[in-house]
Structures are given as structure tokens and as C-alpha cells.
Amino acid sequence: MTKEINFDVRSSRNLTMLVDFYELTMGNGYLRDGLKDKIAYFDMFFRRVPDGGGYCIMAGVEQLIEYLSNLKFTKEDIDYLRSKQIFAEEFLDYLENFEFCCDVWAVPEGNPVFPNEPLVTVRGPVIQAQFIETMILLTINHQTLIATKANRICRAAQGRTVMEFGSRRAQGYDGAIYGARAAVIGGCASTACTIAEEMFDIPASGTMAHSWVQLYPSEYEAFKAWAEVYPENCTFLVDTYNVLKSGIPNAIKVFDEVLKPKGLRPKGIRIDSGDITYLTKKCRKMLDNAGYSDCKIVISNSLDEHIINDVISQGAKVDSFGVGERLITAKSEPVFGGVYKLVAIEDDNEIIPKIKISENEEKITNPGFKKIYRIFDKDNDMAIADLIALNNEVINTDSSLEIFDPVYTWKRKKLTNFYVKDLMVQVFDKGKQVYESPSVLEIKDFASEETEKLWPEVLRFENPHTYYVDLSSNLWSLKQSLLHKYTDQYK
Amino acid sequence: MTKEINFDVRSSRNLTMLVDFYELTMGNGYLRDGLKDKIAYFDMFFRRVPDGGGYCIMAGVEQLIEYLSNLKFTKEDIDYLRSKQIFAEEFLDYLENFEFCCDVWAVPEGNPVFPNEPLVTVRGPVIQAQFIETMILLTINHQTLIATKANRICRAAQGRTVMEFGSRRAQGYDGAIYGARAAVIGGCASTACTIAEEMFDIPASGTMAHSWVQLYPSEYEAFKAWAEVYPENCTFLVDTYNVLKSGIPNAIKVFDEVLKPKGLRPKGIRIDSGDITYLTKKCRKMLDNAGYSDCKIVISNSLDEHIINDVISQGAKVDSFGVGERLITAKSEPVFGGVYKLVAIEDDNEIIPKIKISENEEKITNPGFKKIYRIFDKDNDMAIADLIALNNEVINTDSSLEIFDPVYTWKRKKLTNFYVKDLMVQVFDKGKQVYESPSVLEIKDFASEETEKLWPEVLRFENPHTYYVDLSSNLWSLKQSLLHKYTDQYK
């Protein structure tokens, strides 16, 4: 419906300078040090699924592509940087004539993803590959966080509709806009954020606020006025004064007086406060008794996956949930800790793997230029494991494959009847965009299909089974040898 | 330095359509119902200080003004809305010819603010006053949240420098950009977010990433290369391999070899992992023994006010803190729960106060068109209390003033030697902007000055004294009468 409309708030904005200042000082340093053409490889990955979940939903690739396609330093940017008096003119020239020429691979949006696997890999001149760190992290961290949270909330709703309602409590305008996008990828049916429909062709919806009810002399008059303007779209907010003594009786009265004579049915009633389980049960009975058993009950009020779980298990009569602040900010865990680490450089066209050591084992990186194979069971298409391999490794699916835990290496599994999928796709080839993003609703469907390929034990809400993310033998051996090399130095 | 540069990523963006969809359906409804010129009053306020703190720091007014100054529906917006097939042509005409004509009052940025007092008050035609709800809340909620969190973190640092480092973990691009702005208002000395310096003339700073160190064959060579490019700006990240066995010895070696011959001093060393208290004490000794007692120690690594408090109390030797994800997302409490409520309408030029009832006492609103008086002690300029009064009330500072707790009304206090300040300023007069925002650094200084006028008991980190926010006798009586009127109906 809105596909033809060529409106895009994003394209009018140049975010090139949204960069941590040290990317610029390092870039200037590399240039001064003769490393302008030094090829480096960086991986973006995360270490832990938020909220103790079993997987995340990848999101943000479309916006990352837009950013990388539009990298451009304006005259004002260059003047501003010059005024800092620490950058060489040669570096400012480089920026003024900046031409993005990196290769970029990414896991397409909507895929379930797991800790320690590269979500984005960049290969290119170190100045460029380093420069884009901030925006890669910012873009993928934010949208993956919200898509993952939305997915949890939608699973808790067990098939009931979840609407994203959080704009007013988002962390900034983009928090609302791209948060709505990610929420739909994660499973929400709609958003209250109008601009998000215009930009992404995802359904915007909404009903009325308390102020509508308050503005009229009485609740009855407020409902009646609404029903006369929107007879086919009557969802009344019934908790402005008193849900059971005023809201529902007035709603039923207006349904009877305004809708019935026109042969129309009500859409729903919404409750935004009070004891949800108790009120929805009572409301359901009152509506049913009045002949409105098709009138949906919508609830909203600081909901999250736990409250939704709880009210459903208590038998609340709810058809759909409006979820606001706890979704749009991922309140229970509002940080997605993706990192961007150097994993290799090139010397005379040879790839030299690099590792980042840490006393915290979790923080040790997987070295080298890599890819991810997702391994599926041929019989039922269920995902068995992910295997991180070196980029030049090919998996022979005709013979058996032994995978093993990278820490407890005696935990081994022999796979026979399987097929694999190369999870990352190339999105830039020497700076040229070579991938087109699907629409948001296509991504939403894809996320739903791919999530269904995970075993229920991985999908589990609390204490999920840890999905296998193993290293190929070659990668494991490479990592061990680099680890020993470095740690031998600091015994 | 960058003041002359006329760069503004914001002005190129039209956020008019960043609105909850129900503002539009309600607007259409009001118009259809003949309420186009109905005058309404709305208050934006919050109910609770995040993190159990004693006050918040107001922020976001400049961006709110920009939004209100630039309200404009494009042809594409109108086409998109028409395609929804629920809006009357008359309403679409109204939007196409939209001219903002509301009066708006706001508490200027940097002021300490407290629960239940209006931070923004809007008076105007209900369609317009309702329409701007989402952006008022989004703008003020986000920046006040981050300014308040930054203020907590900076207080914990007890005078040490705090740098904002969080862009990569922010919730969207604006989360990074306006988050950096709010962080500086709250007290941060600088930000890593380059575009924020360009936009707001707040200092951007940064040093090096682990990747710089990894890219070179050895840490020593990496430090040396840096020192040769930036001899006057040497802050080395010393934890890539091993802080005490490698990082600090290499730093000292490079200070000796590269800086000393030039007669230059190092700026600092940064530690981003490990046991901060232990490491900083050891590093301090090693640096002091090598003759670099002026070399600052910077730490970063998932810091917040509690960790900063803790490491300082344990005697860690830290000169400055780089604070990332826990500041830029206000991780411990990432939602600022500001609301926007109808408080009055006009009938024949008479103001009719409105109240929102709730079974939850905290959610009952203060009715009417109001202002806030901050009451100061004449002797020492310390803030004694805030008094919310009806807009036409004037406080006579020549006679004594009795204030009382609005719930425990027997708690009374008689003030004599005082003066008052009218806290809100008018920012729009019938749609015309009548207020110019100060610069961000001016707001930062103002915030610091005004915060110092709060008693230490209110500033206290844990379990602060509740600052008095009282209602004038007239307002209190009005509220009681409306409460009784409504509750009598639903006994």
C-alpha cells in the first residue's frame, strides 16, 4: 500500500561523523606510519545472549548497508577536524576523497545467531575497516537487542498479537524508529510509531488516549463521539474512571446504541491499569453477557515477557498486548554487548591471523578470516549446530563430520545425515554494494521460519539448552597455537 | 573553536511523523466532532527519580524547540495518511496547512527537577496539543534520563574527570548523539562521539583501541609508532597483552625513548580490563618509580556509579573514568517514565481544570494550569522547596508563607526569610518561538550551579531526603474537590 511512496528520513542524514574520536586519531596514525594500504580483517560478534535466552535475532543489516553506501565527509567535517589541530593535511585529504573499498560479509537479518560467531566481517585498508567500527556496533547492537527482546515477548504471548507501543519512552528518535523496525522483525504485529510505517511499510496502529475520554463531559459521550467517527474501528480505552463500574457499561451502551443499528461489531476494549487478570476475566463475562463475545480485550501497562507469561498462566482473558517501554528499551537488559575485533592482517597477500588475549577466557577472540556453517538435519531440517571454520574450508556433506566442544574437547558428536548452509552473505565487494535487503515483513517471516528450525530446548524461555557453536579442527588448532605463543611470553 | 561551523545533522531531518498513530486518529476525531478550536492544557511530568536518586537534571528542551519549530507534513506524508483510508479529507487539509500555534512553557535545561512538577506545559487547540505528545515525551524522557544518570556517575567520581564513551552500545544513532549531549549536561567532561562535538561544541576525545596494538608486530612497536605521531598526546592502552608485565614496561620504555629526548611528558595510560583497584595501585607505583608521577591513569570497562564509588573507596589510583554502556543506556534503569496528561480545557475562555483518577494514588494528576515556584533561603541561596501553584497565583515574599505536605497535611513549615524563582519559561507564544537555548557547556555549568543549591541530604547517593514539592493551598483545594466529585460517582 505504501510501497510506492519514496519517503526516507534516513537518506537525508549524513552519519559519517558518528564515529568514536579514536577511530580518527588511529586513522591519522596509520596514515602517518605508512599503513594506509595495510589490509586488516575485523569481526563483529557478541559474547552472551541477553536475558539468559538461548539465541538472538540478527537485525540492522539494512541500515548498516545504507551507512556504508553513504560514507562522505563534507567540507564542514574537514574544517572541523582541521580545527582540532592534530590531523595531518594528508589525512584530511584522504577523508575528503574517501572512497569506501572494503569487503563486508554479514549474517542476513532475521537469522537466529549465537555467541562468538561473526555477525559481520570486514576486510579492507585498516583506516577504513577501523573507521566503521562505531557504526557497525551501534547499528547491529541496537536492532539485534530489540529484535531479540521482541522475540521473547512474542513467544510469551503464545500466538496472541503483540503491538509495539514504546516510542515515547525510547532512547532517542532512532530508538523509536529503528526500535519499531526491529520489534516487527522479532515478531510484533504492528507499531504505534507512524513514521515507521511510512519508512518500512510495517503496520501502524492505535486507538485512543485517556485525554480523549477526559476532554468530553462524560466517558459515555467520549465513547459515543468516537463510535460516530470510527464505527468500524471501535476500541475503547475503558480505565479512565473505573473499568467495571463505568468503562465497560459505557462501552456496551455505545456498542448497542451506535454500532448495533448499523449492523457493525466492536473491535475491542483496552485496559491500561489495574489488576489485569481480575479485570479481564470480569470484562470478558460482561462483554459476553451483552452479546459481544467477539469484542477483543487488549491490555497494556508496563508489560514484558514475564508479566505476559504470568497473566496468561493465571487465565487472564487477553487477545492482544500493547508493549511499550520494556520492549523499546529492552529494559531488563538494555545493552547488547557486541564487539569489533581485529582478527587478521595481510602481509604480502598472506593472511596473518591475530588473537586478542585476556585473563577472562570469554574475552579471547577467534582468530583468522572465517565463515559460519549452520548444520541441519536432513530428515527434519532442524538446526543441529553452527560450525565456525576458516574461510577457505569446505565441508564435505557426503562423508561424516565430527564436531566437538571448543573447551571440553572430549564432548564430541559425529554427524552423518546433514546439510550445511553458509550463514554469511557478502554485502560489499571492494566497496560496491552486492546485496539487497528484503522488506521488513519478509525479514519478519524469515525470522519466524528460521526460529522454528531450533529445537524447543534452545527456544526455551528459562535455562535454555546451549546451542552448539563449535570451531572447525583447523580453526581450533590455529587458536591453540596462537594462545600458546602469547601466553608463553608472560609466564 | 567550532562555533562558526554551521553543521547540523538535525535540521535536515523532518520528524513530524514520529508520532503515535492514535494522536492522528484522535486528531481526526476531534476535527470531525467540531473540536478543532477547543483549547486544551497538557502537562508533561514524571513520577519517580530513577535509581532511587533525590532529583533529576532537566534536559532536551533545545531539541524539543527544534521539533516544534519545524513541524511540517510533506506531500508524501499526506499521501501516506490518505492511503490508510480512515482520515477525512478535511483533516488531511488541516495537516497539509498545519501551523503550530500553541503556547509552550518548559523548565530550562540543567535545572534539578522533581516528581510531579510540570516540566513542560502546553496550551493550544487540542488537535495540536495532543499531536505533539509523543515527541515531547520522547525528547525530554531520553535526555533527562541520561543527564540524570551522568550526574550520578560524575558525583561518584568525586571531582575526577568522567568521559562519555558509549556510542557503540547506544540505542540507535540519536541515542549516541543526544545521549552524549545529555551526558555533558549531567557533568561529563567530554565524549568519544565525534559528531556530538561538531553539533554541540562539546569536547570530543579518545586515544587508541586494542586493534592499534595488535596491528603492530609488538606492543612496544605499537606504542612507539603512536608516540612518534602524537608525542604531545600519549595515552597508551596497556592491557592488550599483560598490564604489569608488558603494557606498563613498554609504556615507560617509549616515554623514556621518544618523549624524554623531546622534553615532553606523557598524558596517561588506560586500563580496560582486569582488577582495577589492584592494577592501578601497581601501575601508579611503577610509573612513579620511573619518574612519571604526572602520568594520569584512565580506566574504562563497564563502569557505573557503584563501581566508581567502590574502586575509589578501595584506594584505586585513578585520575579519570571512561564510562560507556551503563551511562549511554542508563543501564540500571533505562526508562524515564515521563507522562503527558490533560490538565484543563477552556470553555468560553474560562479554564476548566481536569483530573485523571486512578486507583493508584501516585497516578492521580494535579489539575489546572500551573506554574512552579522554587523557594530559596535568602541567607544562603539554598533551595528549600518547590511549590506548584495555579498559574495566576503570585507569592508574596514580604510576608511569611506556610507550605504543607500534600498527603500528610499536618506536616507544615512556615517560611519567612525567602525568595522565589518562577521555574518555567515560555518557549512558544502562540506558535512563535520566544526562547533561545543556551549552549550545552553553558547548560552544564548552570546544572552544576543549581545542583549545588540543593542540600547534601537531597544530593545523597543512597536514600536521599525527599525534597519538598508542595501544592499551594488553592491548588490543593481544587484537587480535593475534583477528587471528591469523581469518586462520589463510583462509590
Side-chain angles (χ1 to χ4, degrees):
Chain A
M1 175 170 76
T2 58
K3 282 243 169 146
E4 290 78 13
I5 296 174
N6 182 21
F7 172 87
D8 199 336
V9 81
R10 297 158 298 184
S11 56
S12 59
R13 206 158 47 138
N14 182 347
L15 292 171
T16 304
M17 291 290 282
L18 180 32
V19 58
D20 280 313
F21 195 71
Y22 75 2
E23 318 287 10
L24 290 163
T25 49
M26 284 192 283
N28 181 59
Y30 289 135
L31 193 82
R32 299 288 301 266
D33 212 26
L35 297 173
K36 179 166 86 80
D37 299 316
K38 188 77 185 170
I39 296 295
Y41 292 74
F42 285 84
D43 279 353
M44 188 249 160
F45 61 95
F46 69 102
R47 299 186 180 113
R48 214 175 54 75
V49 178
D51 291 318
Y55 62 98
C56 293
I57 299 291
M58 179 73 178
V61 176
E62 184 180 5
Q63 282 62 49
L64 178 58
I65 291 173
E66 276 166 13
Y67 161 71
L68 294 174
S69 302
N70 291 302
L71 275 171
K72 184 164 176 47
F73 295 84
T74 64
K75 171 94 179 43
E76 289 73 22
D77 298 334
I78 304 295
D79 287 347
Y80 150 69
L81 291 173
R82 183 175 290 119
S83 77
K84 300 279 286 182
Q85 300 186 328
I86 55 170
F87 299 110
E89 279 302 316
E90 185 191 1
F91 180 64
L92 297 175
D93 280 352
Y94 178 86
L95 297 184
E96 201 157 3
N97 300 299
F98 192 91
E99 274 192 46
F100 184 60
C101 63
C102 292
D103 297 312
V104 182
W105 296 263
V107 176
E109 297 186 84
N111 270 296
V113 288
F114 302 93
N116 302 316
E117 46 193 35
L119 305 185
V120 180
T121 292
V122 176
R123 175 199 173 276
V126 63
I127 298 179
Q128 296 199 2
Q130 180 77 65
F131 180 82
I132 61 181
E133 172 178 28
T134 307
M135 279 292 282
I136 289 180
L137 290 171
L138 176 44
T139 303
I140 305 296
N141 277 341
H142 172 228
Q143 288 201 44
T144 303
L145 175 74
I146 304 302
T148 303
K149 183 68 173 181
N151 198 266
R152 281 178 71 78
I153 291 172
C154 292
R155 262 184 301 140
Q158 297 177 36
R160 294 167 186 80
T161 303
V162 176
M163 299 173 284
E164 189 285 300
F165 271 8
S167 291
R168 64 190 55 193
R169 304 276 167 81
Q171 296 195 355
Y173 314 127
D174 293 319
I177 297 170
Y178 299 112
R181 179 185 187 274
V184 170
I185 289 175
C188 289
S190 64
T191 175
C193 183
T194 311
I195 201 171
E197 176 171 56
E198 209 178 1
M199 288 171 67
F200 309 121
D201 202 21
I202 55 182
S205 66
T207 56
M208 64 172 64
H210 293 116
S211 51
W212 175 278
V213 180
Q214 288 178 276
L215 196 84
Y216 286 83
S218 71
E219 191 178 48
Y220 165 69
E221 285 160 281
F223 288 174
K224 198 168 169 198
W226 187 272
E228 277 158 4
V229 180
Y230 298 112
E232 298 184 2
N233 196 8
C234 270
T235 299
F236 295 141
L237 179 60
V238 294
D239 69 341
T240 305
Y241 302 115
N242 186 304
V243 174
L244 302 177
K245 291 182 181 166
S246 168
I248 294 292
N250 282 326
I252 290 173
K253 197 169 171 205
V254 172
F255 294 158
D256 285 343
E257 291 177 6
V258 182
L259 301 191
K260 204 174 254 178
K262 298 184 205 271
L264 295 171
R265 304 296 301 169
K267 276 275 190 335
I269 60 103
R270 177 162 77 97
I271 305 173
D272 189 44
S273 60
D275 187 309
I276 287 165
T277 305
Y278 170 77
L279 288 175
T280 57
K281 286 181 184 175
K282 289 275 187 188
C283 290
R284 186 72 274 158
K285 271 198 189 136
M286 291 166 80
L287 289 165
D288 290 354
N289 291 341
Y292 295 109
S293 56
D294 55 343
C295 177
K296 307 277 190 207
I297 296 179
V298 185
I299 65 164
S300 53
N301 185 21
S302 300
L303 301 176
D304 62 18
E305 63 270 43
H306 302 291
I307 294 175
I308 289 176
N309 226 355
D310 218 40
V311 300
I312 289 177
S313 74
Q314 287 178 19
K317 302 294 185 190
V318 182
D319 299 287
S320 70
F321 299 93
V323 183
E325 61 193 40
R326 296 189 187 190
L327 165 54
I328 206 68
T329 66
K331 184 166 187 269
S332 53
E333 199 163 333
V335 173
F336 190 80
V339 295
Y340 186 75
K341 295 290 177 192
L342 183 78
V343 292
I345 59 172
E346 282 182 16
D347 257 354
D348 300 326
N349 292 320
E350 194 196 337
I351 298 178
I352 315 290
K354 291 277 181 174
I355 195 168
K356 164 81 182 75
I357 309 293
S358 174
E359 283 177 37
N360 182 340
E361 301 78 18
E362 288 176 1
K363 288 199 170 183
I364 295 169
T365 57
N366 289 321
F369 179 33
K370 303 178 292 293
K371 56 173 37 171
I372 314 164
Y373 287 109
R374 181 154 294 169
I375 305 171
F376 295 93
D377 188 321
K378 250 188 194 163
D379 285 338
N380 53 23
D381 295 321
M382 296 299 275
I384 302 168
D386 284 3
L387 191 71
I388 309 177
L390 290 168
N391 189 269
N392 57 9
E393 289 188 86
V394 177
I395 293 183
N396 181 357
T397 53
D398 293 332
S399 63
S400 70
L401 174 70
E402 189 173 80
I403 59 174
F404 59 95
D405 186 289
V407 175
Y408 309 108
T409 53
W410 44 268
K411 291 189 180 174
R412 288 174 176 261
K413 194 174 174 118
K414 196 168 185 174
L415 307 175
T416 47
N417 188 38
F418 69 97
Y419 63 95
V420 299
K421 183 173 158 186
D422 189 350
L423 215 57
M424 297 180 96
V425 299
Q426 187 160 14
V427 293
F428 284 88
D429 182 1
K430 299 194 177 58
K432 188 173 165 289
Q433 185 184 333
V434 293
Y435 174 80
E436 282 296 328
S437 287
S439 75
V440 175
L441 291 180
E442 283 164 355
I443 297 170
K444 171 189 161 87
D445 288 345
F446 178 72
S448 164
E449 286 158 21
E450 295 304 304
T451 306
E452 276 171 31
K453 295 176 187 165
L454 300 177
W455 287 102
E457 290 76 9
V458 175
L459 295 176
R460 194 186 289 146
F461 211 63
E462 304 282 353
N463 301 320
H465 175 87
T466 302
Y467 181 83
Y468 299 127
V469 178
D470 293 342
L471 308 186
S472 71
S473 287
N474 288 343
L475 177 56
W476 188 87
S477 302
L478 169 67
K479 186 173 181 175
Q480 293 300 313
S481 73
L482 288 177
L483 274 175
H484 283 291
K485 186 180 140 197
Y486 281 107
T487 52
D488 284 354
Q489 283 184 264
Y490 306 110
K491 270 178 189 164
Chain B
M1 176 170 73
T2 58
K3 283 244 168 145
E4 290 77 14
I5 296 173
N6 182 21
F7 173 88
D8 199 336
V9 81
R10 297 160 298 184
S11 55
S12 58
R13 205 159 47 137
N14 182 346
L15 292 171
T16 303
M17 292 288 282
L18 180 31
V19 57
D20 281 313
F21 195 70
Y22 74 3
E23 319 287 10
L24 289 163
T25 48
M26 285 192 282
N28 181 59
Y30 289 134
L31 193 81
R32 298 290 300 269
D33 212 27
L35 297 174
K36 181 166 84 80
D37 298 317
K38 187 79 187 165
I39 296 296
Y41 293 73
F42 285 84
D43 279 353
M44 187 250 162
F45 61 95
F46 68 102
R47 299 185 181 114
R48 213 175 54 74
V49 178
D51 291 318
Y55 63 98
C56 291
I57 298 291
M58 178 73 178
V61 175
E62 184 180 4
Q63 282 63 48
L64 177 59
I65 291 173
E66 277 166 12
Y67 162 71
L68 294 174
S69 303
N70 291 301
L71 274 171
K72 182 166 179 47
F73 295 85
T74 65
K75 171 96 180 39
E76 289 74 22
D77 298 334
I78 303 296
D79 287 346
Y80 151 70
L81 290 173
R82 182 174 289 118
S83 77
K84 300 281 287 184
Q85 300 185 327
I86 55 170
F87 298 109
E89 279 302 317
E90 183 192 4
F91 181 63
L92 297 176
D93 280 353
Y94 178 86
L95 296 183
E96 202 159 1
N97 300 300
F98 192 91
E99 273 192 47
F100 183 61
C101 64
C102 294
D103 297 311
V104 181
W105 295 263
V107 176
E109 295 187 86
N111 270 297
V113 287
F114 302 92
N116 302 316
E117 45 193 33
L119 305 186
V120 180
T121 293
V122 176
R123 173 197 175 277
V126 63
I127 299 180
Q128 297 200 0
Q130 181 78 64
F131 180 82
I132 60 181
E133 172 178 29
T134 306
M135 279 291 281
I136 289 180
L137 289 172
L138 175 44
T139 304
I140 304 296
N141 277 341
H142 172 230
Q143 289 201 43
T144 302
L145 176 73
I146 304 303
T148 302
K149 183 69 173 180
N151 197 265
R152 280 178 71 78
I153 292 172
C154 292
R155 261 184 302 141
Q158 297 176 34
R160 292 166 186 81
T161 303
V162 177
M163 298 173 286
E164 190 284 302
F165 271 9
S167 291
R168 63 190 55 193
R169 303 277 167 81
Q171 296 195 355
Y173 314 127
D174 293 319
I177 297 171
Y178 298 112
R181 179 186 188 274
V184 170
I185 288 175
C188 288
S190 65
T191 175
C193 183
T194 310
I195 202 171
E197 175 171 55
E198 210 177 357
M199 288 171 67
F200 309 121
D201 201 23
I202 55 182
S205 66
T207 57
M208 64 173 64
H210 293 116
S211 52
W212 175 278
V213 179
Q214 288 177 275
L215 196 85
Y216 287 83
S218 72
E219 190 179 51
Y220 165 69
E221 286 159 281
F223 287 173
K224 199 170 167 193
W226 187 272
E228 277 158 5
V229 180
Y230 298 112
E232 297 184 0
N233 196 7
C234 269
T235 299
F236 295 142
L237 179 59
V238 295
D239 69 342
T240 306
Y241 302 116
N242 185 305
V243 174
L244 301 176
K245 290 181 182 169
S246 171
I248 294 290
N250 282 325
I252 290 172
K253 200 170 168 202
V254 172
F255 295 158
D256 285 344
E257 292 177 7
V258 183
L259 303 190
K260 203 174 257 177
K262 297 184 206 270
L264 294 171
R265 305 297 300 172
K267 276 274 190 333
I269 59 105
R270 176 161 78 97
I271 304 172
D272 190 44
S273 61
D275 188 307
I276 285 163
T277 305
Y278 170 77
L279 288 174
T280 57
K281 285 180 183 175
K282 288 275 186 188
C283 289
R284 187 70 273 161
K285 270 197 189 139
M286 292 166 79
L287 290 165
D288 289 354
N289 291 342
Y292 296 109
S293 56
D294 54 343
C295 178
K296 306 277 190 206
I297 297 179
V298 184
I299 65 164
S300 52
N301 185 21
S302 300
L303 301 176
D304 62 17
E305 64 268 44
H306 302 291
I307 296 175
I308 289 175
N309 226 356
D310 219 39
V311 299
I312 289 178
S313 75
Q314 286 177 22
K317 302 293 184 189
V318 182
D319 300 288
S320 70
F321 299 93
V323 183
E325 60 193 42
R326 297 188 187 190
L327 165 54
I328 205 69
T329 66
K331 183 166 187 271
S332 53
E333 198 163 334
V335 173
F336 190 80
V339 295
Y340 186 75
K341 296 291 176 192
L342 182 78
V343 292
I345 59 172
E346 282 183 15
D347 258 355
D348 300 326
N349 292 320
E350 194 196 339
I351 299 177
I352 315 291
K354 291 277 181 175
I355 194 167
K356 164 83 181 73
I357 308 294
S358 175
E359 283 177 37
N360 183 337
E361 300 78 18
E362 286 176 3
K363 287 198 170 186
I364 296 169
T365 56
N366 288 320
F369 178 34
K370 303 177 292 294
K371 56 173 41 169
I372 314 164
Y373 287 108
R374 182 152 295 167
I375 305 171
F376 293 93
D377 188 320
K378 249 187 193 165
D379 285 339
N380 53 24
D381 294 322
M382 298 298 275
I384 302 167
D386 283 4
L387 191 71
I388 310 178
L390 290 168
N391 189 269
N392 56 10
E393 289 188 87
V394 177
I395 293 183
N396 180 357
T397 53
D398 293 333
S399 61
S400 69
L401 174 70
E402 189 172 79
I403 59 173
F404 59 95
D405 186 289
V407 176
Y408 309 107
T409 52
W410 44 268
K411 290 190 182 176
R412 290 176 173 259
K413 197 176 170 109
K414 195 167 186 174
L415 306 174
T416 47
N417 189 37
F418 68 96
Y419 62 97
V420 299
K421 185 173 156 185
D422 188 351
L423 215 57
M424 298 179 95
V425 298
Q426 187 160 14
V427 293
F428 283 89
D429 182 2
K430 299 191 176 59
K432 188 171 165 290
Q433 185 185 333
V434 293
Y435 173 80
E436 282 296 329
S437 286
S439 74
V440 174
L441 291 180
E442 283 164 354
I443 297 169
K444 172 191 160 84
D445 288 344
F446 177 72
S448 164
E449 286 158 21
E450 294 305 305
T451 308
E452 276 170 32
K453 294 178 187 165
L454 301 177
W455 287 100
E457 290 76 8
V458 175
L459 296 176
R460 196 188 286 147
F461 211 62
E462 304 282 354
N463 300 320
H465 176 86
T466 302
Y467 181 83
Y468 300 127
V469 178
D470 294 340
L471 308 186
S472 71
S473 287
N474 288 342
L475 177 56
W476 188 87
S477 302
L478 169 67
K479 186 172 181 176
Q480 293 301 314
S481 72
L482 289 176
L483 273 175
H484 284 290
K485 185 179 141 198
Y486 281 106
T487 52
D488 284 353
Q489 283 183 264
Y490 306 109
K491 270 178 192 165

